[in-house]
Amino acid sequence: MPEAAVQRARGTLFHTAVTDPRGDELLPLTVLAGRYPDLYARHVAKYVGREHRLRERVIPLDCAWADVVFFSPVDSALLFDAVRSAGRRAWAGPMWTLDASRLDPRRCCVRLMRVTRGARSADPGDEDDYLPLTTATLRAVSQVTDRALTRLRTLGPDEPLLPWGDVPHILHRGPVPLDLFHKWHAKEQPATGTSPAS
C-alpha cells in the first residue's frame, strides 16, 4: 500500500546567511565535523560554556541538538534592532529564506524556547516544548513576542545575547540542500564573516 501523503507546512522560514558556503548542503554540526573540521571548530566554539546544548535530545526527531539544522519562523530584523537598542552589537547581514513546504515535516519539529533572565543558554526543554511542523503551528509561532523584545532591549553589557532565545526554533534533522533557499532579500547584500549561532 502506498504511504499516505504527508501534509506539508506553508509559510516562510529564515536562516542567517552563510558566507562562503562549502558544498551544496547546510549541515548540522555532527555532519560538519566529519566533512569540514575547520568549519566545525569555528561553529562549535559558539557553544563554549553551553556544551550541554549540543547533547540535548530533540525528542520527536530522536536525535541530538547537534544533529539538526535550525530555522527561525521570524525575520531577525526586529530581534537585532532590539539588541542594538540595548547598546549591543548585532548581526547586520542578510537572511536566507525557505518555503517550509520544501521540507519533509517528518524530519522537522517546532521547539518552543525560553530564556531565564541572566542564563547563559535557553532553558532545557521537555516533551511539551515540541510541536509538529504544520501550517497552523508555523502561523502560531511566527510573531516576535513582547517577552523576547523586552529581554533583548534590556540586555546588560555582560548578559549573553541569545537573540533567538525566546523565539521558537524550527528544527530539521539532517542536511538541507542549499538550492532550496532564496539566498538574499532583494534589498540586502551578502555579508562578511560568519552567521550567529542559535
Side-chain angles (χ1 to χ4, degrees), residues 113-117 123 144-154 165-166:
M113 305 293 289
R114 63 197 161 278
V115 176
T116 298
R117 188 74 198 214
D123 296 350
V144 179
T145 65
D146 288 339
R147 172 190 165 97
L149 293 176
T150 298
R151 183 181 63 81
L152 294 173
R153 286 176 180 144
T154 59
D166 295 302

Side-chain angles (χ1 to χ4, degrees), residues 12 16-17 23 28 31 69 72 74 83-84 91 108 114 121-122 156-157 159 170 172 182 186 198:
T12 300
T16 304
V31 178
V69 173
S72 173
V74 300
V83 169
R84 287 185 203 91
W91 172 256
C108 300
R114 63 197 161 278
S121 186
E159 286 186 89
I170 311 306
H172 178 276
H182 300 284
S198 172

Side-chain angles (χ1 to χ4, degrees), residues 69-106:
V69 173
F70 306 90
F71 298 97
S72 173
V74 300
D75 192 332
S76 65
L78 281 175
L79 301 173
F80 293 147
D81 284 349
V83 169
R84 287 185 203 91
S85 74
R88 303 281 298 271
R89 292 184 62 202
W91 172 256
M95 296 295 287
W96 288 353
T97 60
L98 170 71
D99 185 339
S101 68
R102 306 289 305 270
L103 299 177
D104 182 345
R106 295 169 296 192

Side-chain angles (χ1 to χ4, degrees), residues 17-33:
V18 176
T19 56
D20 301 321
R22 292 189 204 164
D24 57 1
E25 295 177 307
L26 191 59
L27 303 174
L29 282 172
T30 52
V31 178
L32 198 62

Side-chain angles (χ1 to χ4, degrees), residues 110-134:
V110 177
R111 163 69 151 82
L112 302 178
M113 305 293 289
R114 63 197 161 278
V115 176
T116 298
R117 188 74 198 214
R120 306 217 64 82
S121 186
D123 296 350
D126 60 32
E127 60 275 357
D128 294 325
D129 289 314
Y130 292 97
L131 303 169
L133 179 61
T134 66

Side-chain angles (χ1 to χ4, degrees), residues 44-61:
V44 80
K46 299 170 188 175
Y47 287 90
V48 168
R50 54 191 189 115
E51 293 85 354
H52 65 281
R53 170 71 64 213
L54 299 174
R55 297 182 298 276
E56 182 179 317
R57 296 303 297 167
V58 179
I59 298 166
L61 301 181

